[in-house]
Amino acid sequence: VTVFAEVVFPLPIDRTFHYRIPPALGSRAAVGCRVVAPFGRRTMTGIIASLTDALPPGSFDVKDIREILDDSPSFPAAFLAFSRKLASRYFTPWGEVLQAALPPSLVPRERKKVALTPEGQLALEKGRLSGRDRELALLLKAGVRTPSSIAGKMGVGDPGPRIRKMEKAGLVTTHVIGRRLRRPAAGIPGKREKQLELEFDRTGRPNLAEVERRIGAGEFSSFYLLGPRAAREAAYARLVRRTLGAGRKVLFLTPEISLARDWIEKGIGGQGSAMAILHSRLPGKKREEEWRKIIEGGAEGAFGPRSVLLAPLTEVGLIVVDEESDESYDQPEGRLYETRGGAELRAEEEKAVLICGSSCPSVEAYHKALAGRSLVVLDPEPRRFITTVVDDRGHKGVFAAALEAKLRERLARGDQAILFVNRRGYSPGIFCSKCGHSPKCPHCDIALGYHKKTGQWVCHSCNSRLPASTFCPECGGPLVQKRARGIEAMEEELRRLFPRVTVARFDSDEAGREGEQDKVIEDFRRGRISALLATRLLVHRLDVPKVPFAAILSPETLLAMPDYGASQKVYQSITRMTGFVANDPDAEALIQTSNPSHFSIRAAAAGDFGQFYGSEIEIRRLMNYPPFTHLADIQLQGKDLRALARKSRDLAVRLKGLGGDVEVLGPGMAAVTRIRGQYRIQVILKSENRETLGAVLRKAFDKFRVKKTVRLS
DNA sequence: AGCACGCCGACT
DNA sequence: GTCGGCGTGCTC
């Protein structure tokens, strides 16, 4: 008899807890259901991880589950197993992964509210309160508040003790507001009985046929589809139909939501198929609706950005990661997992086929595909436009002479042009001519950029803004602009050089909201704009017309980053940007750079991935970088630098003590010391063996409580 | 993550 | 002498 449930909570605790299931609830208890249970002095929503008839060893007071919120599980069994492994691989608590997988409305959290009692009010009026107590009473007189908002207003870390003290004295009351969202079973998930007409293209390449054969085989396999978007479209359509035909479902990941919509509109799922779109920025109601469609079996596939990896789909037969090399799949600090690795893990767990696709693969993935003989080359499109590289060293102006000449010629002809710039604002910063000080962001360790149009200093890390001043905030001396090379400066120069030409900007400052962005693109498409200045914000737009001329300015700036993958980023970004040029011999892409001989720029100019890969993989081999070795990049974060430094030293000592053939580098300050008020310290591990790395990390992180992000490569 | 317990400096 | 700051440990 199962009388106990193992429950996992959405908390940064890496363990589960056991509860008794009261007989009245017994019939509804199932693995994957949400439950409400007492936890410490709180009441929390958790998930049933397993049902047992015995308790784990050790003595503790078993408590009863209060309520079961689901009539059918919110998580399929296979998904639970997958999410547990995902959490373990990325050293992240399982409960947090599960929480990320649910629409927030389904994880009710009790919210404490603190209010002033009549007695408290009286005490305040009679002047019987002083100091902090009085401060809190005054705050509450204005209205009911949550403890965290009190903490913020009063500038105290934890107002808890004071609240409890005053509650005991009868001056304030607290009450808990909790929503209980029941989710009744939605009838029987209904077997799909759709007759699919499978139309297979018999002229398809044998390789793709091989991939098709693996679908529905019920075992894991993985392939890389290399080819232009149009060729991938045809391939995906075949593979998706084949999957649905085999009675299984599809997870389809794209770098951006608009690309997911585009694939669905293109009919990737076949006629009349039911595809859900899921992403975390969907408005609550809509997100819940799409999620329900998936859990209740009404969707044959889930499309969307990285978070779709956590869609509660069952019977997954195919997982597609399109634009595999896109950085939206990366794991910046704070993210729970890295998407490609997570997709591979899920495919393994679900015994599904994993397809990565792009026209410009990451070095790691390409290397792996070659080694695993899983590369499928789709019809490449020969490049017909010209590419020129222009050296701008020693040139004082914004545009090199050759670029200016080309622009003049093109614009005179009535051609449209796109100019890609990778710096926001006007100039990258200001400094004081007297004391040399450069104003920094109050929350980040980053110099503020100058934005001329709004007259502001803007932090390009956290986007906070300060009114620009012409005098040094430190010594009052006059401030001097650094070399103006931002997109605003480009715009200014363009308007100066070509006063009759219509110019528009497409960046997060000028075209902030999505509606405005659409309008700019629409104007460009209708020819109302001749020259479009754009940041990388443009690269995922599919609705931009191909142009006869595009310029890519200073793509080499990325090479200055302390990142072994910098060359690859340069190659990829240039390749993406040249993708906006019409593929005909009359069209041209021009790269203006101060590093014209760098292999990534040369290869990108030639449109030759093989050439780039050959050089890059050789460097990786020589330098012993991934994929020839494995790295674990551990980022620790905290508000208090001293405490953080102590903990990072402690971690490094632990890691070194664990031995194995693991090299420990650091701790050291991260490239950007502070972001949004959080200091960042880095420890890097290097090992030939990924399993060793994992084992060492697991041991070192045991009972080590710090906010951290672990990236494995 | 909360919440409680326990230990040291500055105030009534 | 207490109040109140935060380090440490626990939550079935």
Side-chain angles (χ1 to χ4, degrees), chain A residues 211 214-217 219-223 316-320 347 351-355:
Chain A
V211 180
R214 299 289 188 92
I215 286 174
E219 60 183 71
F220 167 74
S221 57
S222 132
F223 296 92
V316 178
L318 175 69
I319 301 180
V320 178
K351 309 228 179 297
V353 175
L354 173 69
I355 300 290

Side-chain angles (χ1 to χ4, degrees), chain A residues 59 81 102 104 153 164 196 210 252 276 296 310 388 424 439 504 599 641 664 695:
Chain A
S59 69
L102 283 174
K153 277 275 176 193
R164 279 184 285 280
L196 269 166
E210 168 65 13
F252 201 113
E296 284 161 10
L310 302 182
T388 27
R424 286 170 57 195
F599 72 93
L641 184 57
V664 182

Side-chain angles (χ1 to χ4, degrees), chain A residues 128-266:
Chain A
R128 274 188 268 132
L129 296 175
S130 60
R132 299 290 229 177
D133 288 358
R134 186 178 148 78
E135 209 181 311
L136 177 58
L138 277 169
L139 203 58
L140 294 178
K141 196 180 160 202
V144 174
R145 281 183 173 277
T146 63
S148 71
S149 88
I150 292 168
K153 277 275 176 193
M154 293 187 33
V156 192
D158 179 16
R162 183 177 306 280
I163 293 167
R164 279 184 285 280
K165 189 193 77 182
M166 291 178 72
E167 191 175 11
K168 263 189 201 151
L171 302 169
V172 301
T173 50
T174 63
H175 56 276
V176 169
I177 305 164
R179 284 178 301 164
R180 296 285 144 83
L181 262 181
R182 296 182 138 269
R183 204 176 59 78
I188 301 115
K191 273 273 167 211
R192 287 169 295 121
E193 285 184 45
K194 218 170 56 138
Q195 302 300 319
L196 269 166
E197 293 146 51
L198 297 178
E199 296 162 40
F200 294 126
D201 175 7
R202 295 195 182 276
T203 63
R205 299 174 69 101
N207 263 337
L208 198 55
E210 168 65 13
V211 180
E212 263 188 283
R213 220 168 47 71
R214 299 289 188 92
I215 286 174
E219 60 183 71
F220 167 74
S221 57
S222 132
F223 296 92
Y224 202 106
L225 265 50
L226 174 65
R229 171 169 292 274
R232 298 205 303 280
E233 182 183 334
Y236 292 157
R238 276 175 66 173
L239 300 176
V240 169
R241 281 175 208 194
R242 170 77 176 213
T243 307
L244 301 185
R248 299 187 73 181
K249 299 175 186 174
V250 179
L251 275 177
F252 201 113
L253 311 197
T254 60
E256 239 194 41
I257 182 69
S258 60
L259 297 170
R261 286 201 196 98
D262 189 67
W263 286 118
I264 291 183
E265 279 160 21
K266 285 203 166 101

Side-chain angles (χ1 to χ4, degrees), chain A residues 431-473:
Chain A
F431 63 93
C432 172
S433 61
K434 216 162 130 198
C435 71
H437 171 78
S438 330
K440 279 195 172 175
C441 171
H443 316 291
C444 308
D445 183 42
I446 278 200
L448 293 161
Y450 173 58
H451 287 227
K452 194 174 186 176
K453 189 153 186 177
T454 52
Q456 286 171 319
W457 289 339
V458 178
C459 173
H460 290 178
S461 166
C462 73
N463 233 357
S464 61
R465 289 154 189 276
L466 294 173
S469 147
T470 41
F471 299 103
C472 174

Side-chain angles (χ1 to χ4, degrees), chain A residues 432-564:
Chain A
C432 172
S433 61
K434 216 162 130 198
C435 71
H437 171 78
S438 330
K440 279 195 172 175
C441 171
H443 316 291
C444 308
D445 183 42
I446 278 200
L448 293 161
Y450 173 58
H451 287 227
K452 194 174 186 176
K453 189 153 186 177
T454 52
Q456 286 171 319
W457 289 339
V458 178
C459 173
H460 290 178
S461 166
C462 73
N463 233 357
S464 61
R465 289 154 189 276
L466 294 173
S469 147
T470 41
F471 299 103
C472 174
E474 292 283 300
C475 73
L479 288 170
V480 182
Q481 293 292 326
K482 286 186 188 163
R483 211 171 172 201
R485 279 294 173 89
I487 193 165
E488 285 184 351
M490 304 268 168
E491 184 186 12
E492 195 177 273
E493 179 68 356
L494 208 54
R495 290 189 194 278
R496 191 185 66 80
L497 288 171
F498 310 106
R500 302 235 173 105
V501 169
T502 45
V503 174
R505 251 167 61 200
F506 190 87
D507 62 47
S508 47
D509 296 298
E510 187 72 5
R513 288 202 215 101
E514 236 173 271
E516 292 168 52
Q517 295 180 10
D518 291 347
K519 191 178 173 301
V520 174
I521 304 280
E522 179 62 16
D523 285 350
F524 190 62
R525 198 168 39 210
R526 296 193 171 214
R528 290 198 281 253
I529 293 163
S530 300
L532 184 65
L533 284 147
T535 59
R536 28 198 262 137
L537 195 65
L538 190 72
V539 301
H540 286 134
R541 301 286 307 215
L542 298 172
D543 51 354
V544 181
K546 297 275 188 255
V547 289
F549 185 75
I552 297 158
L553 294 137
S554 306
E556 77 286 351
T557 48
L558 276 170
L559 293 171
M561 301 295 261
D563 173 2
Y564 69 85

Side-chain angles (χ1 to χ4, degrees), chain A residues 56 96 102 110 121 162 177 212 235 292 511 567 589 605 663 688:
Chain A
E96 292 201 331
L102 283 174
E110 44 176 45
Q121 179 111 26
R162 183 177 306 280
I177 305 164
E212 263 188 283
R292 275 176 199 276
S567 302
E663 202 182 324
E688 301 299 311

